[in-house]
Amino acid sequence: MGKFQVIDHPLIQHKLTMIRDKNCGTKVFREVVNEIAMLMAYEVSRDMPLEEVEIDTPIVKSTQKTLSGKKVAIVPILRAGLGMVDGMLELIPAAKVGHIGLYRDHDSLEPVEYFVKLPADIDERQLFVVDPMLATGGSAIMAIDALKRRGGTNIKFVCLVAAPEGVKALQEAHPDIDIFCAGLDDHLNEAGYIVPGLGDAGDRLFGTK
Ligand SMILES: O=P(O)(O)OC[C@H]1O[C@H](OP(=O)(O)OP(=O)(O)O)[C@H](O)[C@@H]1O
Ligand SMILES: O=c1cc[nH]c(=O)[nH]1
Ligand SMILES: [Mg+2]
């Protein structure tokens, strides 16, 4: 079983509270989502492989560690996942970005795929799938299915707010992946929204409601 981790650093908790507030407007919401994603990137990249290199310090020749050059792709689930991409790229600037477009049907809550565009070599990359919300888990499961069908193997899922129902469903469907969130909430309501949550992340990021 992959790991499940709530990244409960005080800076992250503080920023998450800011965006949960219904009075937080689009500009600040967008900025703070990116800030949280940047802080989470630090933790989710913790097991990136290192290799040793020999360098000359001003004092002496020395063997030190450097990233081994393992290739990375960040894969946002459209639309709301887009809000996390720039923050992740701040810390992992060489990453490529793939896109998976899904929307959740409002009645059935089932995800519908409408766009997939990925780097050609996803089988060689560490993949970070990003989406602010893990609710029923249907969207994350479908996105990861899409990556695995195309050869992706090394996959981590990074979200801001998770519902216990979504974590369970995602772990059952894809027991090999690691799941990270900034907050584990209480439950889903009848309409499929996370409680307490932060509302519709896509609408709040893009100002569409
Ligand atoms: O875990 P689930 O029950 O599948 O729900 C989570 C999904 O719902 C939201 O997307 P939405 O369908 O609202 O699309 P949007 O990002 O375009 O707003 C959210 O960004 C996730 O992708
Ligand atoms: O609470 C929720 C659940 C799904 N998608 C959202 O944007 N918010
Ligand atoms: Mg939405």
Side-chain angles (χ1 to χ4, degrees), residues 79 200 202-203:
R79 290 173 300 164
D200 188 305
D203 284 338

Side-chain angles (χ1 to χ4, degrees), residues 82-121:
L82 288 174
M84 298 173 67
V85 173
D86 289 347
M88 297 277 296
L89 286 173
E90 286 273 331
L91 289 201
I92 316 173
K96 298 278 196 288
V97 180
H99 295 85
I100 298 182
L102 304 178
Y103 69 86
R104 208 169 66 143
D105 180 87
H106 273 285
D107 298 319
S108 69
L109 301 183
E110 290 296 322
V112 181
E113 183 180 300
Y114 60 88
F115 185 76
V116 179
K117 184 73 183 174
L118 300 166
D121 54 357

Side-chain angles (χ1 to χ4, degrees), residues 5 10-11 16 38 48 57 62 84 99 135 152-153 183 190 198:
Q5 185 181 347
L11 292 172
L16 187 57
M38 183 188 71
M48 276 169 72
T57 76
S62 175
M84 298 173 67
H99 295 85
T153 53
E190 328 64 62
L198 50 74

Side-chain angles (χ1 to χ4, degrees), residues 113-145:
E113 183 180 300
Y114 60 88
F115 185 76
V116 179
K117 184 73 183 174
L118 300 166
D121 54 357
I122 61 163
D123 53 320
E124 295 168 24
R125 290 181 182 270
Q126 165 72 65
L127 304 173
F128 292 107
V129 178
V130 299
D131 189 327
M133 310 307 277
L134 178 65
T136 65
S139 302
I141 291 168
M142 185 179 267
I144 292 165
D145 283 340

Side-chain angles (χ1 to χ4, degrees), residues 65-76:
K65 293 188 192 314
T66 185
L67 286 169
S68 73
K70 170 81 183 167
K71 297 193 278 188
V72 172
I74 298 163
V75 182

Side-chain angles (χ1 to χ4, degrees), residues 131-138 140 157 159 161-164 166-167 170 179 188 194:
D131 189 327
M133 310 307 277
L134 178 65
T136 65
F157 181 77
C159 64
V161 181
V167 175
L170 183 51
I179 304 170
L188 291 178
I194 300 175

Side-chain angles (χ1 to χ4, degrees), residues 38-59:
M38 183 188 71
L39 293 168
M40 292 183 80
Y42 177 81
E43 189 59 32
V44 304
S45 59
R46 182 172 285 282
D47 62 2
M48 276 169 72
L50 294 169
E51 63 187 17
E52 298 202 322
V53 284
E54 197 167 284
I55 56 161
D56 295 306
T57 76
I59 310 300

